[in-house]
Amino acid sequence: MEILRVHFILQRLIQLIPVVFGISIVSFLIIHLIPGDPASIMLGSRATPENVQQLTAQMGLDKPLYDQYLIFLQNLVQGDLGKSILLKQSVNTLISERLGTTFFLVMYASVLSLLVSIPIALWSAMKKDSLLDNGFRTLSIFGLAMPSFWIGILLMLLFSIKIKLFPVSGYGKNFIGHLYYLFLPALTITCSLAPVLVRPLRSKIINVFSSEYIEAARARGLKEHQIILNHVLRNAISGTVTILGVNIGWLLGGSIVIETIFSVPGLGQLLINSILSRDYPIIQGLVLVFAILVIVVNLLTDLCYAWLDPRVDLE
Amino acid sequence: MAELQQTAMKKPVRAFRLGLFSRLPVNTKIAIGLALVLIVILLSLCAPWLTPYDPNANDLNNVLQKPSVKHWFGTDNFGRDIFTRTLYAGRIDLQIGIVAVVVPLIAGSVIGLFAGYFGGWFNILMMRLVDVMISFPFMVLIIAIISILGPGLMNMYIAIFLVGWTSYARIVRGEVLVVKQQEYILAARSIGYGHGRIIFRHILPNVISPAIVFAMSDVVLCILTGASLSFLGLGVQPPAAEWGAMISEGRSYIINAWWISTLPGLAIIVTGLGFSLLGDGLAEKIENQS
């Protein structure tokens, strides 16, 4: 079994090589596809020719494209994403300072979504086709049709402006502070994410309830809550973890908008600010980091799935 | 066979279908969806006859008015009537929903058809490209492309197109791989039909329905994406009326004038519901038929 597992991981890693190669090319091209001279566009209209020349030399933009790509790869392997033009800091520092915030927000939203979806799905599945079940389904179609930034503004209006329960913006200083400050942003994401999770979770639970091992458990005289906890939920949740993992790109993309609304100092806010100030090295670094995050999460999801559900065939 | 299974497993991330209201009979669903969509289309097209106001004319004597009989949705910081702007904005948002779906649908389907039918280096190249593109979060890649091209409606279309074709190419290619093996295709080849005729007359009609079903839910996603990008200041630029841009403009006045940001959102919800129901109903209908 162990050998199979190692083999599975290695195979997944080898499959990733061309994808990672492609990602590096796409992010490399971001600076080079700018129409016109990248250096003068990045510096803006007030730059002197000397400034432009200096930046061109500093970023190696005067070398042939092929050489530039090799240098880019070399720096990448050493973990160096270049230097910001406006903020005069290394892109590594800027991104690593904010990575934790975005990670916290996405994890918070995922946990919150599961806490909301699991009871709803369980309830709907047990009272299948009841008024309640249909009510939740109708509610979730509305959840999917609502733009997340609109939900965010509505929640902000209700919970921070009308009843001053949660802060309008910010991140907080410690763990408890993060939980408090990021509650509304996480809730906003939950409103869009929970409808995506409830539906497959509900049908999975209905499936599990009608399976033979649940019948066997009932026949053995297990209490209903034991059956739900030990058999139904364990089996239903493993599928949901996959859905969460598959949607990580969508979640990260959504967090860009949410971070902008609630002024959360994360990667999304950095991306939007960098676009407005034409700070292309940061944009390049962020695009790369986002793609790598998606790949890593998808890989972890596969492994997690295999771990939660030992029947998964690793071959 | 292994390849076939892989294609079947790798369903597009964005293809989660909205199977709600599922107790409704399929035709009722399509009818409600179609009615909502038609209402939105008619309201935005007939806007000049429905309201006496100009969407872009400032009226500084009527700034930040509450919703009333005169101004159903109130007025914004320039005294513009928000209901009027919401109606006119529908023109741009519906256009986004259509253009940003139809162009990728056509281009992606053609690429998927050729990749699936001919296989070979073109197939490998395209599918590797798709693998790379879907590693990026959809929104991040679109924002990155707009950062290169600059903000604006046209550049937003280009960005959505450059990313959007991948889903259609993947769906169509997967279907082609199945259909290609069918006997009627072999028969068509043995008669001596050319590749072009087989691809477009025999394969295309049999593989296109899943792509069209996906396109219906893609309309909702594209309208939401367009509104989000305009909300971030990367899409439609003010003073043009667009739902996302209007919601964004109202943010500075949220404490004193809640109606500027919130009421245009209702239009997005009605449109989203309409297309979701329509797409879902059509999807079920096609499933029932096959």
Side-chain angles (χ1 to χ4, degrees), chain A residues 19 33 35 134 137-138 140-142 144 146 149-150 153-154 157 199 246-247 249 260-261 275 280 287 291 294, chain B residues 13 17-23 132 135-137 140 143 147-148 228 231-232 247 251 254 258 262 265 269 273:
Chain A
V19 174
L33 287 177
N134 282 318
R137 280 200 235 175
T138 315
S140 54
I141 195 177
F142 276 97
L144 283 175
M146 284 191 270
F149 56 93
W150 187 76
I153 287 178
L154 221 60
L157 197 63
R199 195 177 171 229
V246 166
N247 280 306
T260 315
I261 299 173
I275 287 173
Y280 285 95
V287 168
V294 171
Chain B
V13 179
R17 271 219 333 277
L18 322 173
L20 313 132
F21 281 122
S22 2
R23 294 289 309 285
V132 170
S135 313
F136 293 95
V140 171
I143 289 179
S147 78
I148 298 169
S228 302
F231 176 81
L232 293 170
I247 294 174
R251 278 175 67 205
I254 187 91
W258 56 269
T262 47
I269 298 175
L273 276 178

Side-chain angles (χ1 to χ4, degrees), chain A residues 139-306:
Chain A
L139 206 65
S140 54
I141 195 177
F142 276 97
L144 283 175
M146 284 191 270
S148 60
F149 56 93
W150 187 76
I151 300 178
I153 287 178
L154 221 60
L155 290 176
M156 188 193 265
L157 197 63
L158 276 175
F159 292 111
S160 341
I161 296 172
K162 291 275 184 271
I163 32 172
K164 297 180 170 47
L165 209 59
F166 290 99
V168 177
S169 63
Y171 180 46
K173 289 192 176 61
N174 49 29
F175 186 76
I176 303 292
H178 298 339
L179 282 182
Y180 176 58
Y181 273 84
L182 292 184
F183 180 73
L184 284 186
L187 187 63
T188 309
I189 298 177
T190 301
C191 288
S192 320
L193 184 60
V196 179
L197 297 182
V198 167
R199 195 177 171 229
L201 198 55
R202 173 183 170 278
S203 49
K204 188 93 193 267
I205 292 175
I206 291 174
N207 254 334
V208 174
F209 263 123
S210 59
S211 64
E212 279 170 3
Y213 57 84
I214 296 296
E215 227 168 280
R218 284 214 176 100
R220 286 208 309 276
L222 263 75
K223 298 253 163 48
E224 198 63 19
H225 69 265
Q226 282 175 314
I227 295 177
I228 290 174
L229 276 180
N230 293 337
H231 297 276
V232 178
L233 284 184
R234 189 195 160 103
N235 280 296
I237 286 174
S238 66
T240 315
V241 171
T242 321
I243 300 168
L244 261 179
V246 166
N247 280 306
I248 186 70
W250 178 73
L251 249 174
L252 283 171
S255 73
I256 297 175
V257 184
I258 306 302
E259 284 179 12
T260 315
I261 299 173
F262 290 96
S263 312
V264 178
L267 296 180
Q269 201 196 35
L270 182 67
L271 180 65
I272 300 300
N273 289 341
S274 313
I275 287 173
L276 297 178
S277 60
R278 296 181 166 276
D279 208 332
Y280 285 95
I282 302 184
I283 302 175
Q284 186 178 48
L286 278 173
V287 168
L288 195 76
V289 167
F290 272 119
I292 289 171
L293 277 178
V294 171
I295 288 184
V296 170
V297 170
N298 279 333
L299 192 68
L300 287 178
T301 310
D302 281 359
L303 298 181
C304 205
Y305 191 53

Side-chain angles (χ1 to χ4, degrees), chain B residues 18-290:
Chain B
L18 322 173
L20 313 132
F21 281 122
S22 2
R23 294 289 309 285
L24 290 177
V26 173
N27 287 329
T28 320
K29 231 191 253 184
I30 295 178
I32 298 178
L34 200 63
L36 288 178
V37 171
L38 282 178
I39 288 173
V40 174
I41 293 175
L42 280 177
L43 281 178
S44 60
L45 286 182
C46 302
W49 298 285
L50 292 173
T51 94
Y53 304 102
D54 181 309
N56 294 317
N58 298 351
D59 180 1
L60 298 177
N61 295 321
N62 276 314
V63 170
L64 301 179
Q65 296 283 320
K66 272 189 183 153
S68 61
V69 183
K70 231 177 122 196
H71 299 283
W72 289 4
F73 282 10
T75 62
D76 66 5
N77 51 313
F78 292 109
R80 298 175 295 196
D81 181 57
I82 294 175
F83 183 67
T84 307
R85 284 176 68 73
T86 307
L87 292 186
Y88 278 92
R91 296 179 175 190
I92 292 190
D93 282 277
L94 289 171
Q95 189 199 332
I96 294 174
I98 293 162
V99 175
V101 168
V102 170
V103 181
L105 169 68
I106 295 172
S109 301
V110 170
I111 292 173
L113 273 174
F114 281 86
Y117 184 77
F118 290 112
W121 62 268
F122 181 72
N123 176 40
I124 294 172
L125 189 74
M126 282 300 145
M127 289 307 118
R128 284 289 158 273
L129 190 58
V130 169
D131 282 346
V132 170
M133 302 277 275
I134 57 165
S135 313
F136 293 95
F138 173 68
M139 198 70 177
V140 171
L141 199 53
I142 288 183
I143 289 179
I145 297 172
I146 293 180
S147 78
I148 298 169
L149 302 171
L153 183 62
M154 194 58 213
N155 291 341
M156 188 174 88
Y157 281 145
I158 297 175
I160 294 182
F161 163 69
L162 285 176
V163 181
W165 67 269
T166 52
S167 311
Y168 295 99
R170 227 162 86 184
I171 295 171
V172 171
R173 177 182 165 274
E175 293 289 315
V176 172
L177 290 181
V178 179
V179 170
K180 190 164 93 160
Q181 310 294 337
Q182 306 283 321
E183 276 154 8
Y184 61 85
I185 300 298
L186 281 177
R189 285 180 83 168
S190 62
I191 301 173
Y193 285 161
H195 290 307
R197 181 170 177 152
I198 293 179
I199 289 177
F200 289 103
R201 299 272 302 268
H202 297 266
I203 293 185
L204 182 65
N206 291 300
V207 298
I208 202 67
S209 17
I212 289 176
V213 166
F214 177 64
M216 295 306 296
S217 56
D218 203 23
V219 172
V220 185
L221 283 160
C222 280
I223 291 178
L224 288 180
T225 306
S228 302
L229 290 170
S230 306
F231 176 81
L232 293 170
L234 302 172
V236 179
Q237 300 294 308
E242 191 279 339
W243 295 328
M246 288 171 70
I247 294 174
S248 170
E249 283 173 67
R251 278 175 67 205
S252 334
Y253 303 91
I254 187 91
I255 296 177
N256 301 318
W258 56 269
W259 51 89
I260 308 180
S261 275
T262 47
L263 295 180
L266 298 176
I268 306 186
I269 298 175
V270 174
T271 315
L273 276 178
F275 279 110
S276 302
L277 286 174
L278 192 58
D280 210 40
L282 283 179
E284 269 176 43
K285 198 156 193 166
I286 289 173
E287 263 166 36
N288 290 347
Q289 274 170 2
S290 59

Side-chain angles (χ1 to χ4, degrees), chain A residues 40-102:
Chain A
S40 48
I41 287 173
M42 280 187 257
L43 288 170
S45 52
R46 280 181 298 171
T48 61
E50 289 81 49
N51 287 355
V52 173
Q53 217 166 25
Q54 198 195 344
L55 185 68
T56 309
Q58 185 201 322
M59 294 185 66
L61 293 170
D62 45 358
K63 297 196 179 80
L65 209 56
Y66 179 73
D67 283 351
Q68 286 189 47
Y69 178 65
L70 285 183
I71 296 170
F72 174 77
L73 268 190
Q74 209 173 3
N75 290 337
L76 211 59
V77 172
Q78 291 167 357
D80 180 11
L81 294 171
K83 206 170 160 222
S84 152
I85 296 162
L86 195 76
L87 303 171
K88 311 273 182 230
Q89 272 177 295
S90 90
V91 175
N92 293 40
T93 324
L94 286 167
I95 290 182
S96 54
E97 275 171 5
R98 287 163 178 81
L99 187 64
T101 314
T102 298

